[in-house]
Amino acid sequence: MKALTVNKRFEEQSAFVGLLTKPLVTTTNDGKLHRLVIRHQRQLTEWFRRLGYRLIIAGQIIRLHRTPHAGTIAAPYTSQPPRRRELVLTLLAAAACEERDSATTLQAISDQVRVITSLKTSPVTAYDPEQGPERSMLLLAVRRLESQGVLVRRTRDEEMLRAWEAARTGIGAGYDIDRAALLQFLDPHTVALALSAPTGGEQDLLAATRWSRMLRVLIETPALLYADLNEDDASYAASMAGRLAEAARTMTGGTVEVRGEGLVLILHPDHPWTADATLDWPKAAAASWVALRMCDAAGTIGQRSADGCVSLRSHQVDALASRLHRQHHADLTDHFKQRPERIRPAAEETLRDAGLLHVDDTGNWTLTAAAGRYRDPEPGSDWNTATSLMEDSE
């Protein structure tokens, strides 16, 4: 019985992490995750309720709605989010699928999107399939719907897709439409909460949702750091650190480090979807090494605060980049050797994506307390010969 209980909890935690990485699940886009969620839906519904999320199971469709609090959600920073045009075309492609019964083609979706956006009442820029970049963007949008299970491709010939993208020849690909998944793709209630303007009761709402908001940050982002919170939230999180850590451990099966500057969740490595929920960094790539070098050097010269953050003025950051180029010139790849001005932007983008850096409008740096986990990186002997470290692999 005990072994069965342990296995049941492992499956529940795996499904919980899986749904965080894939919030719309069908039998087609992830059959394994679908089976686990159906098997443990009662426990998963309760766990997501603690986060203020809604888990909807409608027939064979599973949808996790991340309900915003006061128009905000917890999400890791990314320097390269999906382009606005791609997201707009994704919604338009979904609308185009509404006009079909059970099957469609890439060309049919393209034609319908052109019709929708050519209307005088259309609030978006008209889609022009004669333009190659527009076709490429629509293809990205359709692939997004495919990954969500809304579209199920019936033709697997990639050459047909390439021919349509390059020259608009053929149908591109044929798809079955999962209308149940399409219905759950967007939730008007969630969208309205995300777009709603702040009201007079915003502070009361933030106070009432403080537990779920702090738990969201711990589970959804690299770390819950007190320095990133306002004074009330920071005091609350510090006083509830033990309970927050226990809740995160229970739901994810991971390990939570409770430190003076905040909490860090490390997911269980054996869960099937841990890799999808974990930032793949640092990588064996030049940009990662440059970022780690800059981070390490900044920690030695910056002004350290009581909460573990390190601050540098913009001119100090420029000086660090110049020193890195000068002192480690032989270790750098040609991308950075020939253009030293590339060092700072690469380091900033990499460290911000890793949740280790904040940059203000004037270029000043603030390294988070978590940056202290990364120390003194050294390049290997095959630094400039390993393919994985060359610029075209980044």
Side-chain angles (χ1 to χ4, degrees):
M1 179 63 71
K2 184 176 181 180
L4 289 175
T5 301
V6 170
N7 184 64
K8 177 176 179 292
R9 180 48 53 94
F10 183 84
E11 288 188 348
E12 291 167 348
Q13 293 164 341
S14 294
F16 180 86
V17 174
L19 278 173
L20 293 176
T21 69
K22 189 173 292 185
L24 179 56
V25 184
T26 70
T27 55
T28 302
N29 72 348
D30 199 323
K32 180 179 180 179
L33 179 56
H34 188 277
R35 290 190 295 273
L36 284 179
V37 175
I38 294 298
R39 187 180 305 159
H40 302 292
Q41 59 180 293
R42 179 176 296 180
Q43 182 63 74
L44 292 169
T45 299
E46 170 58 23
W47 282 349
F48 282 116
R49 185 192 63 79
R50 296 181 192 177
L51 286 168
Y53 294 163
R54 292 183 299 119
L55 180 60
I56 305 298
I57 300 179
Q60 293 298 306
I61 306 303
I62 299 165
R63 183 68 162 99
L64 176 65
H65 292 289
R66 287 173 163 92
T67 309
H69 286 325
T72 63
I73 59 173
Y77 172 86
T78 175
S79 59
Q80 297 180 334
R83 283 167 287 187
R84 180 184 177 89
R85 185 62 170 171
E86 178 189 339
L87 296 179
V88 168
L89 289 178
T90 300
L91 297 178
L92 290 167
C97 291
E98 286 278 8
E99 302 299 318
R100 311 287 292 192
D101 291 327
S102 60
T104 189
T105 66
L106 179 57
Q107 181 58 50
I109 293 173
S110 176
D111 290 341
Q112 188 61 30
V113 169
R114 179 182 55 79
V115 170
I116 294 173
T117 59
S118 64
L119 296 174
K120 291 183 178 180
T121 55
S122 173
V124 301
T125 303
Y127 163 73
D128 183 2
E130 297 298 331
Q131 302 296 319
E134 285 278 81
R135 293 195 302 274
S136 296
M137 198 68 70
L138 182 68
L139 181 55
L140 288 175
V142 169
R143 290 188 188 276
R144 184 177 292 274
L145 291 178
E146 188 179 353
S147 71
Q148 297 293 324
V150 173
L151 293 175
V152 181
R153 202 195 315 182
R154 291 186 284 116
T155 51
R156 294 294 172 184
D157 188 351
E158 288 290 326
E159 185 56 39
M160 294 175 64
L161 284 173
R162 286 191 288 269
W164 184 90
E165 182 181 12
R168 200 186 170 197
T169 58
I171 64 170
Y175 300 91
D176 290 322
I177 302 172
D178 190 327
R179 300 199 67 81
L182 179 60
L183 183 63
Q184 291 294 330
F185 182 59
L186 278 185
D187 175 52
H189 175 67
T190 301
V191 172
L193 288 175
L195 299 178
S196 61
T199 62
E202 181 183 6
Q203 291 304 316
D204 292 338
L205 177 59
L206 290 176
T209 59
R210 190 161 279 133
W211 166 263
S212 59
R213 287 191 296 108
M214 297 302 98
L215 194 55
R216 288 181 184 190
V217 175
L218 177 57
I219 288 175
E220 299 267 27
T221 71
L224 173 63
L225 300 174
Y226 305 141
D228 293 341
L229 307 175
N230 63 44
E231 185 176 347
D232 289 339
D233 284 350
S235 297
Y236 178 85
S239 67
M240 302 292 285
R243 289 184 58 191
L244 288 167
E246 181 58 30
R249 281 193 293 263
T250 299
M251 291 187 284
T252 67
T255 301
V256 179
E257 294 183 3
V258 181
R259 307 172 66 90
E261 60 271 11
L263 295 86
V264 178
L265 171 63
I266 303 171
L267 295 176
H268 196 298
D270 293 335
H271 287 312
W273 294 276
T274 288
D276 295 333
T278 305
L279 180 67
D280 182 18
W281 188 84
K283 299 179 179 180
S288 285
W289 182 80
V290 164
L292 283 171
R293 265 293 171 190
M294 289 282 287
C295 178
D296 194 49
T300 63
I301 72 166
Q303 182 178 357
R304 191 174 301 275
S305 62
D307 55 23
C309 294
V310 175
S311 301
L312 292 88
R313 308 295 294 177
S314 183
H315 68 86
Q316 292 177 295
V317 180
D318 287 334
L320 286 180
S322 297
R323 190 173 75 184
L324 174 61
H325 182 262
R326 183 175 63 256
Q327 293 183 348
H328 296 278
H329 190 269
D331 297 324
L332 297 174
T333 53
D334 289 343
H335 179 78
F336 295 113
K337 280 183 180 178
Q338 297 171 2
R339 299 285 297 276
E341 66 273 14
R342 291 171 170 169
I343 290 177
R344 175 174 176 169
E348 286 184 343
E349 179 177 321
T350 304
L351 292 172
R352 290 174 72 177
D353 283 353
L356 303 178
L357 175 68
H358 302 300
V359 183
D360 68 17
D361 293 339
T362 60
N364 298 327
W365 276 24
T366 301
L367 288 167
T368 68
R373 301 171 66 90
Y374 303 92
R375 297 292 186 190
D376 197 22
E378 291 295 341
S381 59
D382 58 349
W383 173 258
N384 279 311
T385 59
T387 303
S388 62
L389 298 176
M390 302 308 289
E391 288 77 20
D392 58 4
S393 69
E394 295 173 4

